[in-house]
Amino acid sequence: MKQFTSDKEAADALHQVYRELTSEISKVIVGQEEVVRLVLTAVFCQGHCLLVGVPGLAKTLLIHTIASSLDMSFNRVQFTPDLMPSDIVGAETLDKDRNFKFITGPVFANIVLADEINRTPPKTQAALLEAMQEHAVTVAGRRYDLPKPFFVLATQNPIEQEGTYPLPEAQLDRFMFNITLDYPSYESELQIVKNTTGAVVNSLNRILHADDIIAFQQLVRRVPVVDNVVEYAVKLVHQTRPNMPMASPQANQYLEWGAGPRASQHLIVGAKCNALLNGKYSPDIEDVQAVAFPILRHRIVRNFKAEAEGVTVERIIQELL
């Protein structure tokens, strides 16, 4: 790993690395620049991502592609109704000498793709809770640390589809970003079809190593933030909490629950990273707004009136901004 003489030099290097990563990823992923930006932001912020969209929008391919451009271990878990917690974290088994031995599960990797995470019951989904929060798992009373850095990048089908289970709010709160994927544009889909129906297969170069990512994660934490930006982020979160002193009229009218303190933390860390990725050395209010939608989207719960009137979460967030 390259050593930097100052944080300014490291910040410039992160900006350049981000451009190289997006260029490399674009060899395979057409369009979806905003999605790629948010996933890479989560990586540099030590956060987890939830990608939501109907089947066939290349959610899994996108995560595979990003993992391929990073020199880290990668495991994929296909979530199904019969998946058990031990299929994720691992289990103790008897060896030939009749001694218990822990066999690690697929969660022991730097990047874990939890594919279609909402197609398994909550008991199995909960197996990821400790891993996502503590970066460790406990089996038979023993704690096992996960490799660093550690990210869960999960895909989810819309709840309305058959055979899906809603994720518990406590688990949703562990995801830094909830990113929605929509259908590609006509021009993008033309390019996708051309790229994927021929004989040429694009190979990706590995741009970053695990040590590099850990160093950049520490750099993001050291970015200075002026007080008015922190105040804006915290006030924004407080406005989502109905029947509280700082609640907005929209929250009182349309929300059952607002966002918790973790949202305020993610807004500031995400704003810091967004500033660095765009070549700035300190975030402003626009950087907070750039990450507000995916951070707040899954942390506020609409009430019956909002659902009856067709008021979306996105509309409520937009009015708060």
Side-chain angles (χ1 to χ4, degrees):
M1 176 191 164
K2 182 181 177 182
Q3 299 296 319
F4 300 107
T5 57
S6 67
D7 282 351
K8 179 182 180 299
E9 184 183 347
D12 294 335
L14 176 56
H15 176 57
Q16 181 60 35
V17 161
Y18 170 67
R19 295 176 63 181
E20 293 175 11
L21 279 170
T22 53
S23 175
E24 201 69 21
I25 292 167
S26 65
K27 292 179 181 178
V28 177
I29 302 299
V30 178
Q32 306 290 9
E33 291 86 359
E34 177 71 3
V35 177
V36 171
R37 177 185 71 84
L38 290 172
V39 173
L40 292 178
T41 298
V43 166
F44 293 123
C45 291
Q46 307 179 48
H48 310 291
C49 275
L50 181 65
L51 281 72
V52 182
V54 298
L57 295 185
K59 301 184 296 296
T60 303
L61 176 63
L62 187 145
I63 294 174
H64 262 297
T65 304
I66 291 175
S68 298
S69 64
L70 304 173
D71 189 16
M72 296 189 294
S73 58
F74 173 78
N75 280 331
R76 170 181 175 177
V77 183
Q78 183 66 51
F79 280 63
T80 58
D82 60 346
L83 195 73
M84 298 297 292
S86 58
D87 296 327
I88 299 173
V89 300
E92 287 194 326
T93 61
L94 282 171
D95 60 17
K96 61 181 181 181
D97 299 320
R98 301 188 66 79
N99 296 317
F100 280 105
K101 179 182 179 182
F102 178 63
I103 305 298
T104 60
V107 76
F108 284 82
N110 296 121
I111 301 176
V112 177
L113 166 55
D115 211 2
E116 297 187 306
I117 189 172
N118 61 330
R119 290 195 178 275
T120 197
K123 178 181 178 181
T124 304
Q125 293 167 356
L128 283 176
L129 272 177
E130 183 186 9
M132 293 172 67
Q133 183 65 30
E134 306 294 337
H135 292 191
V137 296
T138 303
V139 178
R142 286 194 60 185
R143 176 187 169 102
Y144 299 89
D145 290 326
L146 298 173
K148 295 182 180 180
F150 173 74
F151 315 101
V152 173
L153 304 179
T155 69
Q156 175 180 310
N157 298 132
I159 295 299
E160 295 78 13
Q161 293 199 339
E162 292 291 332
T164 60
Y165 300 82
L167 294 182
E169 283 76 8
Q171 185 174 358
L172 281 174
D173 198 40
R174 263 61 174 192
F175 287 101
M176 179 177 185
F177 289 145
N178 179 325
I179 306 170
T180 56
L181 280 79
D182 207 346
Y183 291 108
S185 66
Y186 175 75
E187 292 76 13
S188 295
E189 192 159 346
L190 277 177
Q191 192 61 45
I192 290 169
V193 173
K194 290 177 182 178
N195 290 354
T196 56
T197 55
V200 178
V201 178
N202 289 316
S203 59
L204 299 180
N205 298 314
R206 296 186 180 273
I207 305 296
L208 278 181
H209 305 286
D211 291 341
D212 300 319
I213 291 176
I214 292 173
F216 284 135
Q217 288 174 343
Q218 295 168 349
L219 171 68
V220 168
R221 295 279 171 167
R222 294 196 299 270
V223 171
V225 188
V226 294
D227 286 345
N228 73 301
V229 175
V230 178
E231 291 166 3
Y232 175 82
V234 176
K235 182 180 179 182
L236 178 62
V237 173
H238 273 257
Q239 287 178 320
T240 68
R241 299 170 184 171
N243 305 316
M244 297 294 286
M246 298 181 69
S248 69
Q250 295 90 341
N252 287 330
Q253 188 175 8
Y254 293 122
L255 293 183
E256 190 77 29
W257 297 100
R262 192 177 277 119
S264 301
Q265 296 169 334
H266 285 327
L267 282 171
I268 291 302
V269 176
K272 288 182 177 184
C273 185
N274 191 71
L276 292 179
L277 297 185
N278 286 285
K280 299 186 292 185
Y281 302 118
S282 182
D284 50 30
I285 288 175
E286 286 72 21
D287 292 302
V288 175
Q289 294 173 336
V291 295
F293 275 94
I295 288 175
L296 296 176
R297 181 182 286 128
H298 56 302
R299 291 186 165 89
I300 61 178
V301 179
R302 294 178 300 161
N303 59 21
F304 178 76
K305 181 178 181 181
E307 294 181 9
E309 296 182 9
V311 178
T312 63
V313 167
E314 286 76 10
R315 174 182 153 184
I316 296 171
I317 298 173
Q318 183 64 55
E319 291 176 352
L320 293 177
L321 294 176

